[in-house]
Amino acid sequence: MNLSDSEIVASVMLANGYETTTDINEAGIIFLNTCSIREKAEQRIRKRLQALLPLKKKNPDLVVGILGCMAERLKDQLLLEEPVLDIIAGPDSYRDLPHLLEDAGDGQRGINTILSKEETYADIQPVRLDSRGVSAFISIMRGCENYCAYCVVPYVRGKERSRDADSIIQEATSLFESGYREVTLLGQNVNSYQWKTIDGTVNFATLLERVAKINPGMRVRFATSHPKDISDELLQSIAANHNICKAIHLPVQSGSNNVLKRMNRGYTREQYMERIEAIRRIIPGCALSTDIISGFCDESEVDHQQTLSLMEWTGFDFAYMFNYSERPDTLAAKRYTDNIPPAIKEKRLKEVIDLQQKLSLNSNKRDLNKVFEVLIEGPSKRSPLQYSGRTSQNKVVVFLKEESKPGDYVNVCIEKYTSATLIGEVI
Ligand code: 5AD
Ligand code: SF4
């Protein structure tokens, strides 16, 4: 989401006569686009800001700005705490950056953290910052109103709003025409996408199919789905279109009904399992990934064991796993105590990670000797003789280059695997 937002920022700046550089010493303006989801993410930014102080001493004209969720959460408090900063801009104020820069040029400090009910940056053509030119993100909605108890997002990204469907189709079409072969539709909860027109309402299943119909040679992915409202209609759209990728990211957070209730997730363990069964039934061979939080307030050993058993039952192919990090002003911070000792949080998280490692290895083992259609993304990290690409199930595959180039589809037979990568040969 932040990468996608940075591409919008780059576009706003370009339209105002600025350029991007990859050399920090050459930059006259440095923006840090930030995340507040866990305390660690914010601590990392604080360190980066400290590291910029010597640059600013050398070049007093250097302008430093903080963008995104941390700017929104801390607002002008950041100006007091971080003397290096000239600009604070929340996620809905990127169009205002040229004005904020003018303020900074006049020796003032520019701040805009006003959240909007409408802003979707629909008319802004993002400048693609990932130069491989194969896969791109398209932001289809902003904000979130689910208020999961642990989560800061509704406070820092504002009300949920969907972007004009036609502008999404146009952006995807123009990406395909400039050589892109994969788009990922982004939103905090894509299942509640809704765009009203005089002809009726476009929901997420319809939008996804419309994007898929642009060209069968362009893959479509999406993130993130909420288990409480992933519909059979959406699953049927995925099953019916070869180029809609067979991979669903469905964050479960916990396997315990007590914890899910306190988290305000809006589903039970049983309802989550029912959705997994629907996915298995409607889209055979669909990969499943998830997010898990260990050590949420009052989580007991029994609750933790239920998370492990749900992971095992589902057999996730991949997971993002975190320790609970209390965020100021969230429902959990107000209602509950962050009472799981750090050592126990660590121990539980390690058990979750170790189990996922085993599940990922099993999942990759199941792919042995099977043939997958792989979209080539570019040279592999390890060897210039190899390419790296992805299967529809979103697994990374590396193989010897042969007569192909990034953006091509090749059929690869899997010969070896690790828990993170499949290794194969083009057939
Ligand atoms: N502590 C730990 N993890 C969190 N996430 C969101 N808020 C928190 C928090 N306070 C995780 C959730 C979410 C993912 C994007 O980040 O698992 O799905
Ligand atoms: Fe946060 Fe819940 Fe919204 Fe996801 S759905 S962004 S976890 S509040």
Side-chain angles (χ1 to χ4, degrees):
M1 188 69 82
N2 267 1
L3 174 62
S4 169
D5 275 7
S6 294
E7 296 183 331
I8 288 164
V9 171
S11 175
V12 170
M13 296 296 286
L14 194 73
N16 283 275
Y18 299 92
E19 280 173 56
T20 54
T21 172
T22 50
D23 178 2
I24 196 165
N25 294 303
E26 210 180 70
I29 304 167
I30 297 171
F31 288 140
L32 303 184
N33 196 356
T34 60
C35 174
S36 288
I37 200 105
R38 283 168 291 276
E39 199 184 349
K40 262 193 204 151
E42 291 200 356
Q43 284 165 351
R44 211 177 305 148
I45 293 296
R46 299 277 188 174
K47 282 203 192 112
R48 291 263 178 96
L49 290 171
Q50 292 299 314
L52 291 178
L53 275 169
L55 269 182
K56 183 123 179 175
K57 262 210 185 104
K58 242 194 314 183
N59 173 12
D61 292 335
L62 178 69
V63 173
V64 180
I66 190 160
L67 313 182
C69 296
M70 202 174 157
E72 191 61 50
R73 194 176 84 73
L74 295 163
K75 302 190 170 63
D76 48 1
Q77 184 190 330
L78 276 171
L79 288 179
L80 297 174
E81 294 170 356
E82 304 289 349
V84 76
L85 283 175
D86 304 287
I87 287 178
I88 314 266
D92 288 342
S93 66
Y94 299 148
R95 286 180 204 268
D96 196 32
L97 282 171
H99 302 127
L100 297 176
L101 279 162
E102 274 172 31
D103 289 349
D106 293 342
Q108 302 164 34
R109 295 162 102 190
I111 170 159
N112 185 344
T113 52
I114 299 167
L115 286 175
S116 156
K117 284 191 193 138
E118 289 99 32
E119 181 64 275
T120 59
Y121 301 110
D123 56 315
I124 293 185
Q125 187 78 42
V127 170
R128 302 295 161 185
L129 297 172
D130 169 15
S131 55
R132 301 218 281 189
V134 175
S135 180
F137 292 122
I138 301 182
S139 176
I140 64 160
M141 56 203 296
R142 300 182 72 82
C144 181
E145 284 165 64
N146 282 311
Y147 292 96
C148 300
Y150 50 81
C151 186
V152 77
V153 168
Y155 307 92
V156 292
R157 299 189 77 93
K159 296 244 174 262
E160 182 182 287
R161 64 221 103 123
S162 296
R163 172 178 165 188
D164 177 344
D166 289 335
S167 79
I168 297 169
I169 303 297
Q170 268 166 23
E171 188 174 331
T173 307
S174 110
L175 282 165
F176 181 76
E177 284 165 358
S178 41
Y180 283 81
R181 291 296 172 262
E182 181 178 87
V183 292
T184 303
L185 308 182
L186 289 181
Q188 305 295 347
N189 177 11
V190 291
N191 308 111
S192 49
Y193 176 87
Q194 218 183 32
W195 182 254
K196 292 201 174 76
T197 67
I198 30 173
D199 306 324
T201 303
V202 183
N203 65 12
F204 184 61
T206 319
L207 177 77
L208 193 61
E209 290 221 34
R210 278 183 64 189
V211 176
K213 295 275 185 296
I214 292 171
N215 193 295
M218 182 165 69
R219 281 183 173 176
V220 192
R221 299 186 185 278
F222 57 92
T224 293
S225 295
H226 197 301
K228 76 177 160 54
D229 35 30
I230 181 163
S231 65
D232 281 3
E233 185 198 359
L234 174 65
L235 302 182
Q236 272 141 11
S237 297
I238 300 171
N241 291 274
H242 177 74
N243 58 331
I244 303 183
C245 290
K246 307 298 177 266
I248 297 181
H249 186 63
L250 203 62
V252 66
Q253 315 298 0
S254 166
S256 149
N257 279 335
N258 291 332
V259 176
L260 288 171
K261 187 145 196 247
R262 278 199 304 279
M263 285 180 164
N264 193 29
R265 286 289 287 174
Y267 55 86
T268 60
R269 172 189 176 94
E270 292 72 29
Q271 284 166 331
Y272 186 87
M273 291 165 85
E274 187 281 322
R275 289 290 78 199
I276 297 293
E277 280 170 344
I279 294 171
R280 299 253 185 262
R281 187 175 64 244
I282 300 172
I283 322 169
C286 185
L288 281 161
S289 55
T290 200
D291 293 349
I292 288 170
I293 299 178
S294 270
F296 186 63
C297 316
D298 289 339
E299 183 191 70
S300 67
E301 183 58 31
V302 174
D303 293 325
H304 167 61
Q305 290 300 329
Q306 288 191 323
T307 298
L308 295 175
S309 79
L310 184 66
M311 289 172 70
E312 190 105 45
W313 180 86
T314 312
F316 291 111
D317 299 277
F318 180 81
Y320 294 105
M321 299 153 284
F322 319 97
N323 266 334
Y324 172 58
S325 161
E326 185 178 83
R327 308 311 293 130
D329 302 322
T330 53
L331 294 180
K334 286 186 207 151
R335 283 187 198 159
Y336 312 125
T337 317
D338 181 11
N339 56 359
I340 308 304
I344 297 194
K345 275 190 188 168
E346 286 303 333
K347 175 180 160 283
R348 289 184 187 162
L349 181 63
K350 184 172 182 306
E351 287 173 15
V352 165
I353 292 172
D354 288 349
L355 173 56
Q356 186 52 49
Q357 173 93 359
K358 185 188 98 181
L359 296 176
S360 296
L361 202 65
N362 283 348
S363 155
N364 284 353
K365 187 175 175 186
R366 286 194 295 272
D367 293 340
L368 213 54
N369 300 319
K370 289 190 191 150
V371 175
F372 291 90
E373 186 183 63
V374 173
L375 173 61
I376 305 177
E377 293 178 347
S380 89
K381 277 184 211 135
R382 294 238 179 92
S383 157
L385 301 176
Q386 287 177 328
Y387 273 140
S388 151
R390 277 171 203 267
T391 64
S392 172
Q393 287 75 10
N394 210 18
K395 288 190 183 177
V396 175
V397 185
V398 298
F399 52 92
L400 276 181
K401 277 182 171 170
E402 313 210 358
E403 300 291 297
S404 45
K405 58 181 189 314
D408 286 351
Y409 290 96
V410 283
N411 288 318
V412 178
C413 182
I414 306 307
E415 296 172 333
K416 285 191 282 185
Y417 63 93
T418 67
S419 65
T421 316
L422 300 173
I423 301 126
E425 192 180 346
V426 176
I427 56 160

